[in-house]
Amino acid sequence: MAGRRHTRARCGARTRKGTPCQAMALANGRCRFHGGLSCGPTTEAGKQRSRRNLEKARAALARPEHASTRAAAAKKGWATRRRIQRRLQLARLAAEGDPMALLLLGM
Ligand SMILES: [Zn+2]
């Protein structure tokens, strides 16, 4: 096996698991999943489309049926309810001594 494996910089972004991303970093220091390729919209049309979508998303979130989403977001950052449930389930399993849960939480 060659001695020069794994010498290139890693991405290092925080993953959903909480561990640093191990993917190869591109020129800007992040991998292709964590912003290595995209710098956001560059054309004026693209920037306008992006702003329109942001306004649409904010308007949707402001509707009354999304009150619980807003409450959860305010309480837990922008984690989704599903993610919060998963996290609580994981904590319960870890408290019961589940080896996989302990491993995932790095305990
Ligand atoms: Zn990455």
mmCIF file of all heavy atoms in Angstrom, residues 11-13 21-23 30-34, ligand 1:
data_model
loop_
_atom_site.group_PDB
_atom_site.id
_atom_site.type_symbol
_atom_site.label_atom_id
_atom_site.label_comp_id
_atom_site.label_asym_id
_atom_site.label_seq_id
_atom_site.Cartn_x
_atom_site.Cartn_y
_atom_site.Cartn_z
ATOM 1 N N CYS A 11 -12.535 17.776 4.901
ATOM 2 C CA CYS A 11 -13.522 18.855 4.986
ATOM 3 C C CYS A 11 -13.648 19.383 6.420
ATOM 4 O O CYS A 11 -13.503 20.572 6.678
ATOM 5 C CB CYS A 11 -14.861 18.340 4.483
ATOM 6 S SG CYS A 11 -16.236 19.372 4.882
ATOM 7 N N GLY A 12 -13.928 18.497 7.377
ATOM 8 C CA GLY A 12 -13.982 18.896 8.785
ATOM 9 C C GLY A 12 -15.273 19.557 9.225
ATOM 10 O O GLY A 12 -15.405 19.920 10.386
ATOM 11 N N ALA A 13 -16.254 19.735 8.308
ATOM 12 C CA ALA A 13 -17.537 20.332 8.705
ATOM 13 C C ALA A 13 -18.219 19.413 9.708
ATOM 14 O O ALA A 13 -17.998 18.198 9.700
ATOM 15 C CB ALA A 13 -18.420 20.523 7.474
ATOM 16 N N CYS A 21 -16.582 15.952 9.213
ATOM 17 C CA CYS A 21 -16.715 15.314 7.900
ATOM 18 C C CYS A 21 -15.339 14.862 7.420
ATOM 19 O O CYS A 21 -14.372 15.611 7.492
ATOM 20 C CB CYS A 21 -17.344 16.292 6.908
ATOM 21 S SG CYS A 21 -17.441 15.630 5.233
ATOM 22 N N GLN A 22 -15.282 13.624 6.939
ATOM 23 C CA GLN A 22 -13.996 13.038 6.530
ATOM 24 C C GLN A 22 -13.742 13.152 5.029
ATOM 25 O O GLN A 22 -12.705 12.697 4.550
ATOM 26 C CB GLN A 22 -13.969 11.552 6.918
ATOM 27 C CG GLN A 22 -14.052 11.320 8.416
ATOM 28 C CD GLN A 22 -12.895 11.945 9.162
ATOM 29 O OE1 GLN A 22 -11.740 11.703 8.809
ATOM 30 N NE2 GLN A 22 -13.190 12.767 10.140
ATOM 31 N N ALA A 23 -14.687 13.742 4.287
ATOM 32 C CA ALA A 23 -14.538 13.808 2.832
ATOM 33 C C ALA A 23 -13.392 14.735 2.437
ATOM 34 O O ALA A 23 -12.997 15.624 3.192
ATOM 35 C CB ALA A 23 -15.842 14.281 2.211
ATOM 36 N N ARG A 30 -13.754 22.987 1.995
ATOM 37 C CA ARG A 30 -14.898 22.135 2.315
ATOM 38 C C ARG A 30 -15.117 21.132 1.186
ATOM 39 O O ARG A 30 -14.689 21.364 0.053
ATOM 40 C CB ARG A 30 -16.174 22.974 2.498
ATOM 41 C CG ARG A 30 -16.170 23.854 3.727
ATOM 42 C CD ARG A 30 -16.042 23.047 4.987
ATOM 43 N NE ARG A 30 -16.210 23.917 6.156
ATOM 44 C CZ ARG A 30 -15.906 23.535 7.386
ATOM 45 N NH1 ARG A 30 -15.408 22.341 7.625
ATOM 46 N NH2 ARG A 30 -16.094 24.356 8.388
ATOM 47 N N CYS A 31 -15.814 20.030 1.511
ATOM 48 C CA CYS A 31 -16.090 19.010 0.504
ATOM 49 C C CYS A 31 -17.250 19.474 -0.381
ATOM 50 O O CYS A 31 -17.873 20.492 -0.121
ATOM 51 C CB CYS A 31 -16.425 17.687 1.164
ATOM 52 S SG CYS A 31 -18.078 17.615 1.875
ATOM 53 N N ARG A 32 -17.578 18.657 -1.389
ATOM 54 C CA ARG A 32 -18.633 19.050 -2.331
ATOM 55 C C ARG A 32 -20.004 19.096 -1.674
ATOM 56 O O ARG A 32 -20.913 19.732 -2.174
ATOM 57 C CB ARG A 32 -18.649 18.113 -3.536
ATOM 58 C CG ARG A 32 -18.964 16.671 -3.194
ATOM 59 C CD ARG A 32 -18.437 15.743 -4.290
ATOM 60 N NE ARG A 32 -18.584 14.357 -3.885
ATOM 61 C CZ ARG A 32 -19.513 13.544 -4.381
ATOM 62 N NH1 ARG A 32 -20.351 13.974 -5.301
ATOM 63 N NH2 ARG A 32 -19.598 12.310 -3.971
ATOM 64 N N PHE A 33 -20.167 18.405 -0.520
ATOM 65 C CA PHE A 33 -21.455 18.426 0.174
ATOM 66 C C PHE A 33 -21.566 19.618 1.122
ATOM 67 O O PHE A 33 -22.639 20.007 1.522
ATOM 68 C CB PHE A 33 -21.667 17.141 0.973
ATOM 69 C CG PHE A 33 -21.645 15.908 0.126
ATOM 70 C CD1 PHE A 33 -20.643 14.980 0.276
ATOM 71 C CD2 PHE A 33 -22.624 15.705 -0.824
ATOM 72 C CE1 PHE A 33 -20.618 13.844 -0.506
ATOM 73 C CE2 PHE A 33 -22.606 14.576 -1.615
ATOM 74 C CZ PHE A 33 -21.604 13.642 -1.453
ATOM 75 N N HIS A 34 -20.442 20.155 1.544
ATOM 76 C CA HIS A 34 -20.468 21.200 2.569
ATOM 77 C C HIS A 34 -20.004 22.543 2.034
ATOM 78 O O HIS A 34 -19.295 23.281 2.731
ATOM 79 C CB HIS A 34 -19.627 20.769 3.773
ATOM 80 C CG HIS A 34 -20.231 19.609 4.517
ATOM 81 N ND1 HIS A 34 -19.607 18.407 4.676
ATOM 82 C CD2 HIS A 34 -21.442 19.491 5.112
ATOM 83 C CE1 HIS A 34 -20.401 17.577 5.353
ATOM 84 N NE2 HIS A 34 -21.523 18.222 5.629
HETATM 85 ZN ZN ZN B 1 -17.832 17.734 4.163
#
